[in-house]
Amino acid sequence: MNPIHAAPMPSAPWLIAAASINAAAAMLHLACWIWPSLFRHLGAGQTVAMRALQGDWRPYASATAVALGLSAGALYALAASGQFPHLPRLPALRTVVVLLTAVYGLRALAFPWLKPIFPGNSEAFLWTSSALCLAFAIVHAVGLHGSWSTLGRT
């Protein structure tokens, strides 16, 4: 048996919550394929939403790339939880979860620099998405902290 699956970890619920957050965010991004108006409602801005409605492939490619990254994050968080013995030990498990946590944290703190880069996004969207990313980073960090020694140095 893989040592990561040897005993339940107190951080497992946090990592399962992190996986759920990543999966839900991935599904929201993929839902834009079915409902292109979601681009606007999810804060992509008027320009991106109009491009999607006109059939431009770039908004869909971006949404798909983000969804794939979030799906990978969900898989890694599930594997790190140690509660799914059918999942193999993934390469660089601790490193990937650390990087995912850092990306969410940096995205949360990047609000002042994102506003001029994405002028089509509303201030409400930027504040809300930054707050969500901060919450996501905290959930990942708590789970990571509790499982640090179990995850090893990979």
Side-chain angles (χ1 to χ4, degrees), residues 2-20:
N2 191 330
I4 195 170
H5 302 296
M9 293 184 291
S11 60
W14 289 94
L15 290 167
I16 292 170
S20 300

Side-chain angles (χ1 to χ4, degrees), residues 49-145:
M50 289 306 299
R51 286 182 180 158
L53 290 169
Q54 294 168 353
D56 188 344
W57 62 272
R58 291 174 291 186
Y60 297 103
S62 295
T64 302
V66 171
L68 287 172
L70 290 165
S71 297
L75 180 63
Y76 268 82
L78 280 180
S81 77
Q83 300 303 296
F84 299 89
H86 60 283
L87 287 177
R89 180 161 178 94
L90 298 175
L93 185 58
R94 181 162 68 175
T95 302
V96 170
V97 179
V98 166
L99 289 173
L100 185 60
T101 304
V103 165
Y104 277 128
L106 290 172
R107 167 54 187 86
L109 299 174
F111 173 82
W113 297 279
L114 290 175
K115 189 171 178 169
I117 295 171
F118 299 103
N121 291 350
S122 70
E123 190 160 328
F125 167 76
L126 289 171
W127 277 107
T128 302
S129 62
S130 293
L132 285 171
C133 285
L134 180 60
F136 296 173
I138 291 168
V139 170
H140 284 75
V142 171
L144 186 61
H145 175 72

